Amino acid sequence: MYKKGAVVRIRSDLKVGWTYGDCGFIASMLPMLNKKVKIKATTVNHNDMPRYQVYNSNYYWSAEMFESVKPK
C-alpha cells in the first residue's frame, strides 16, 4: 500500500477497458501513462481495497496501475 506523498510511475502497459485491482482504466486516462505522479490521497473502497488519488488527475487509481520509483 502506498502512502500519501509517495512518488510512483503510472505503468505504460495499461489497457483501455481493463480493470486493475478495483479501478477501471478508461481512454481519458491515457495521457497519464508512464508519468511520475505524487499520491494526493488514499481511500479504501467497500471491499477494503485501497484506491489512490494523484495530483493532476481526477480519477481513482489502484496499486496495480503503479510502478515504484527508486529514489535518486
Side-chain angles (χ1 to χ4, degrees):
M1 184 165 176
Y2 295 100
K3 294 183 180 184
K4 180 180 177 179
V7 175
V8 295
R9 181 181 308 278
I10 296 178
R11 289 175 33 198
S12 61
D13 62 346
L14 301 178
K15 306 244 188 269
V16 172
W18 287 37
T19 300
Y20 299 89
D22 189 43
C23 297
F25 186 75
I26 58 175
S28 56
M29 297 165 95
L30 283 168
M32 299 294 290
L33 292 181
N34 205 37
K35 302 251 185 198
K36 280 186 188 178
V37 296
K38 189 173 185 178
I39 295 177
K40 179 167 66 171
T42 302
T43 59
V44 178
N45 72 4
H46 63 281
N47 292 328
D48 290 329
M49 293 182 73
R51 297 188 306 177
Y52 303 93
Q53 289 179 290
V54 300
Y55 288 97
N56 299 318
S57 172
N58 294 322
Y59 301 105
Y60 284 105
W61 302 82
S62 69
E64 290 83 0
M65 295 171 147
F66 298 146
E67 296 173 341
S68 294
V69 173
K70 294 180 184 175
K72 293 182 179 180

